[in-house]
């Protein structure tokens, strides 16, 4: 399931608003020639490049439409969400939308293995089996801070939080697209 956000590559290439901004500065009425269109596209590309040159911040590349679990979700409900999303782990929030943990699919699998054990019979909710140790970043942090997590520690995504609230996530694909854009710009 794709989120409503632009794809990782779209985030770092020309966006409709880049073209709108360029058009707002066009003084003459546009009866558009190929030359004018090229000029507009090149100026819009310059705006997109300018985004790439400033060191990207987490808020520039994060997805805001985050698929999440609620800590009060029943473990079976959580499994249903996993079946729909093709992800190996999901962030977990509380009623105030604050990030309180993450839950990996393998933790649900382990729970099913334990479920027959009478000692595990009290575990019914996501909050009882989730991992509370979560690496997070702020929206205004430079994306360079994330490289060690994606490279050395093989993270698939990092939650972005502001005032404890989950405001986005950055996936490994988002990170690769942004770094690719920076490389292209340097060439």
């Amino acid at each position: 399931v794709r989120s409503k956000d632009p794809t990782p590559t779209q985030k770092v290439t020309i966006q409709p608003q880049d073209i709108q901004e360029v058009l707002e500065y066009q003084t003459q009425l546009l009866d558009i020639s190929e030359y004018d269109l090229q000029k507009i596209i090149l100026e819009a590309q310059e705006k997109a490049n300018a985004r790439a040159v400033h060191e990207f911040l987490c808020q520039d590349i994060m997805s805001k439409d985050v698929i999440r679990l609620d800590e009060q979700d029943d473990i079976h409900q959580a499994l249903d969400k996993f079946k729909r999303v093709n992800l190996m782990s999901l962030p977990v929030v509380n009623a105030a939308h604050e990030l309180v943990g993450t839950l990996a699919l393998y933790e649900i699998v382990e729970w099913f293995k334990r479920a027959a054990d009478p000692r595990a019979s009290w575990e019914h909710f996501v909050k009882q089996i989730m991992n509370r140790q979560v690496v997070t970043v702020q929206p205004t942090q430079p994306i360079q801070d994330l490289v060690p997590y994606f490279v050395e520690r093989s993270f698939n995504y990092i939650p972005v939080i502001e005032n404890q609230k989950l405001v986005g996530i950055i996936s490994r694909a988002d990170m690769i697209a942004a770094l690719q854009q920076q490389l292209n710009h340097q060439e």
Side-chain angles (χ1 to χ4, degrees):
V1 178
R2 260 291 334 149
S3 72
K4 296 187 215 39
D5 288 288
T7 67
T9 312
Q10 284 165 348
K11 289 175 195 164
V12 290
T13 51
I14 295 180
Q15 296 285 296
Q17 70 262 20
D18 296 326
I19 294 174
Q20 283 159 5
E21 278 177 37
V22 173
L23 287 175
E24 279 164 21
Y25 288 102
Q26 292 292 318
T27 45
Q28 77 274 36
L29 191 63
L30 287 176
D31 175 12
I32 203 141
S33 68
E34 190 181 343
Y35 169 79
D36 288 334
L37 186 59
Q38 279 178 357
K39 194 163 145 282
I40 286 167
I41 290 169
L42 288 171
E43 284 178 32
Q45 185 61 58
E46 273 171 29
K47 286 190 177 293
N49 288 349
R51 267 203 307 278
V53 175
H54 302 307
E55 209 168 69
F56 279 125
L57 301 179
C58 291
Q59 64 197 12
D60 299 329
I61 71 165
M62 71 185 189
S63 296
K64 298 183 186 79
D65 180 25
V66 185
I67 296 153
R68 60 194 68 194
L69 298 171
D70 189 284
E71 65 176 355
Q72 299 294 346
D73 283 350
D74 177 277
I75 296 168
H76 292 274
Q77 283 174 296
L79 182 60
D80 287 340
K81 262 193 195 159
F82 273 107
K83 284 179 189 164
R84 295 198 301 269
V85 296
N86 189 25
L87 294 167
M88 299 311 287
S89 167
L90 288 170
V92 182
V93 296
N94 62 16
H97 302 293
E98 294 165 336
L99 182 72
V100 289
T102 60
L103 185 66
L105 185 55
Y106 79 83
E107 288 164 326
I108 295 180
V109 172
E110 290 300 315
W111 175 79
F112 271 104
K113 287 183 192 167
R114 291 196 304 276
D117 183 335
R119 284 169 305 189
S121 60
W122 61 276
E123 298 172 327
H124 300 290
F125 301 104
V126 165
K127 65 180 179 185
Q128 292 169 323
I129 66 168
M130 70 184 185
N131 177 6
R132 292 170 190 277
Q133 303 293 306
V134 190
V135 172
T136 63
V137 289
Q138 301 285 321
T140 52
Q141 255 176 280
I143 64 168
Q144 266 65 15
D145 293 357
L146 313 187
V147 172
Y149 296 104
F150 287 118
V151 176
E152 284 137 42
R153 296 175 59 187
S154 302
F155 278 37
N156 289 312
Y157 70 86
I158 297 178
V160 184
I161 64 164
E162 196 166 31
N163 305 322
Q164 272 87 54
K165 291 195 177 5
L166 179 64
V167 294
I169 64 168
I170 296 175
S171 69
R172 185 183 286 156
D174 293 329
M175 189 73 185
I176 291 168
L179 296 174
Q180 174 75 38
Q181 180 78 4
Q182 287 181 333
L183 283 174
N184 290 349
H185 192 78
Q186 286 163 4
E187 281 167 12

